[in-house]
Amino acid sequence: MLPSPANLIVTVDVVLLTLQDNRLHVALTRRENEPFQGHWALPGGFIHPQEDDSAKAAAARVLREKTAIASPYLEEFGTFSGPVRDPRGWSLTVVHYALVARQVLSERVALYPVETLPDLPFQHRHMIESVVQRVRSKSSYSSLPVYLCPEEFTIPELHRVYESVLGEKLGMANFRRKLDDLGMLEVVQRTDKPNGRHRPAQLYRLPTHLRGSLAVRERGI
Amino acid sequence: MLPSPANLIVTVDVVLLTLQDNRLHVALTRRENEPFQGHWALPGGFIHPQEDDSAKAAAARVLREKTAIASPYLEEFGTFSGPVRDPRGWSLTVVHYALVARQVLSERVALYPVETLPDLPFQHRHMIESVVQRVRSKSSYSSLPVYLCPEEFTIPELHRVYESVLGEKLGMANFRRKLDDLGMLEVVQRTDKPNGRHRPAQLYRLPTHLRGSLAVRERGI
DNA sequence: TCAATAGTGTCTATAAGACACTATGCC
DNA sequence: GGCATAGTGTCTTATAGACACTATTGA
């Protein structure tokens, strides 16, 4: 058996999601090269065997290079492959997804609401829709949405994040019971003065053993 | 940007699972080529861009060629990649898994209990263990184990299959309620005479709209 | 009628949802 | 004290598990 043919195109793509105005947005960048030069597309690129220890490492590198973001949560979603999705020939891409809190973005990055995407090459629209579905599904039984919050957050904040991602109202009392159950909260003492004219909420962060990973519940959020 | 380097090895592997004596077994084949010629390994091979419409199609072809099995359920698991897992160089493999009812196997295929695997190259052991974990997890809230049954099956049979995969006892009354809830049963009239000297169980099959896919429950089996 | 397995009805325990209540901080 | 948001207690309802019961077949 011979090594795999040289005409097989192997890339990684990253679906980077964040919340803006309580709605999921995806980060798109302008393509610098042909094909589709100048078009919006997912941040993506070739695997560099000399630099990358794995497809996931390649995705992290590509994300860093194209958006200057290092996400605390990055996971493989799956592959998309076939003879027609890239005009250059048979291609395979390993799609990853990442979640970050809203933050300052470089000028070469645009955020689009996941419901109203522009035309995108390489089946990127399909990838984004599939990832969003997976993220909604996983959010319904895990701590995943915490990665859409800043490092320190309050329960009311996290509550709004869950409601935004899932698109439904969640009772606060049950929500707290389930967060307890997930063991995903570590108390943080406030150092700053809260700003409202009302009772300030307790600050929390993700405990060390959960950073970059998920806590999961059998019976949902 | 240039096409991806030719020294990148891209393959597919298939973890084919079946039940034997109420225990999960994985199908292994003898490698025909170097490296590791003659060793047991997962059925796998290169993607053939001329023949294969996708990585999944490549996996189905490889499975057919190496084991003569066409599984009713075949799904992508994920990728394994890096510079060291294949002695020939940086490699990426798209791992798939398939479930079949126990059946006659060609002589070139051996079934090993997933708990007692031989030494395997290419991180195949790790892949099998990860897939088994995923299959157990998915079985706990979906119709997945039905693909370990023959096309027509009884509820007591399916019950034993679930118990074997999950490794725990399940109450029959609840089990039936949940199967109903999944909508995964279509009544089949028996044509043959049942063989025991006791009440024969009703035969069922998967309804057409579920063949090759899954029914899922929010609250588990 | 018996043996053996198939299949059901129902009681109890647990967890989810709803919602009213109390707590706390700032003005 | 009043307002605004944080956080809790508790009642009701839905679902899961246990287990005893009935059903159906062949001998």
Side-chain angles (χ1 to χ4, degrees), chain B residues 22-63:
Chain B
N22 294 320
R23 298 176 62 170
L24 277 179
H25 286 61
V26 61
L28 301 177
T29 58
R30 290 250 184 227
R31 281 186 59 79
E32 293 176 3
N33 301 90
E34 291 293 346
F36 304 108
Q37 187 170 35
H39 288 60
W40 290 114
L42 291 175
F46 293 109
I47 290 173
H48 293 172
Q50 271 72 37
E51 303 175 61
D52 304 324
D53 264 2
S54 62
K56 185 172 174 177
R61 175 183 54 74
V62 163
L63 184 61

Side-chain angles (χ1 to χ4, degrees), chain B residues 1 11 47 53 63 80 83 89 91 95 101 106 112 120 135 139-140 143-144 151 154 161 163 166 168 170 193 211 217:
Chain B
M1 219 177 257
T11 56
I47 290 173
D53 264 2
L63 184 61
F80 288 73
S91 66
V95 177
S106 92
Y112 278 87
L120 294 172
V135 166
S139 296
S140 73
S143 59
L144 182 59
E151 274 201 31
T154 66
V161 169
E163 289 188 337
L166 297 177
E168 60 181 311
L170 300 172
K193 285 255 189 283
R211 304 223 178 120
R217 260 176 67 84

Side-chain angles (χ1 to χ4, degrees), chain B residues 13 15 98 106 113 118 120 122 126 132 135-136 143 166 198 220:
Chain B
D13 287 305
V15 178
S106 92
L120 294 172
F122 307 120
H126 183 202
V132 167
V135 166
R136 293 213 158 104
S143 59
L166 297 177
H198 51 75

Side-chain angles (χ1 to χ4, degrees), chain A residues 173-174 177-178 194 196-200 217 219:
Chain A
N174 271 314
R177 278 193 286 254
K178 291 170 178 181
R197 66 177 109 197
H198 51 74
R199 176 178 178 178
R217 260 175 66 83
R219 279 181 273 288

Side-chain angles (χ1 to χ4, degrees), chain B residues 173-174 177-178 197-200 217 219:
Chain B
N174 271 315
R177 279 193 286 252
K178 291 170 178 183
R197 63 177 110 199
H198 51 75
R199 177 176 177 179
R217 260 176 67 84
R219 278 180 274 288

Side-chain angles (χ1 to χ4, degrees), chain B residues 60-176:
Chain B
R61 175 183 54 74
V62 163
L63 184 61
R64 178 166 32 81
E65 289 173 357
K66 304 235 171 179
T67 69
I69 286 172
S71 172
Y73 189 80
L74 175 69
E75 196 187 26
E76 176 172 329
F77 173 72
T79 71
F80 288 73
S81 57
V84 297
R85 51 173 293 282
D86 189 312
R88 292 166 292 184
W90 212 101
S91 66
L92 182 146
T93 188
V94 188
V95 177
H96 292 72
Y97 65 101
L99 275 61
V100 291
R102 188 161 157 24
Q103 58 195 266
V104 195
L105 291 168
S106 92
E107 292 176 4
R108 294 160 52 220
V109 180
L111 290 183
Y112 278 87
V114 297
E115 320 294 358
T116 59
L117 298 171
D119 279 344
L120 294 172
F122 307 120
Q123 303 181 332
H124 281 184
R125 188 196 183 99
H126 183 202
M127 294 174 195
I128 294 166
E129 287 168 352
S130 306
V131 164
V132 167
Q133 208 176 329
R134 165 90 65 96
V135 166
R136 293 213 158 104
S137 162
K138 258 191 142 129
S139 296
S140 73
Y141 61 85
S142 80
S143 59
L144 182 59
V146 78
Y147 294 106
L148 295 167
C149 290
E151 274 201 31
E152 302 190 346
F153 55 88
T154 66
I155 289 181
E157 271 172 30
L158 188 57
H159 185 239
R160 275 185 293 276
V161 169
Y162 269 90
E163 289 188 337
S164 301
V165 174
L166 297 177
E168 60 181 311
K169 294 282 175 195
L170 300 172
M172 181 56 98
N174 271 315
F175 183 68
R176 285 171 183 273

Side-chain angles (χ1 to χ4, degrees), chain A residues 26 29 35-36 38 42 80 83 92 99 101 110 119 127-128 145 155 160 167 179 184 189 191-192 195 202 204 206-207:
Chain A
V26 61
T29 58
F36 304 108
L42 291 174
F80 287 73
L92 182 147
L99 276 61
D119 279 344
M127 294 174 195
I128 294 166
I155 289 180
R160 276 187 292 277
L179 292 184
M184 62 177 282
Q189 288 324 315
T191 53
D192 59 337
N195 50 1
Q202 176 64 53
Y204 297 91
L206 208 56

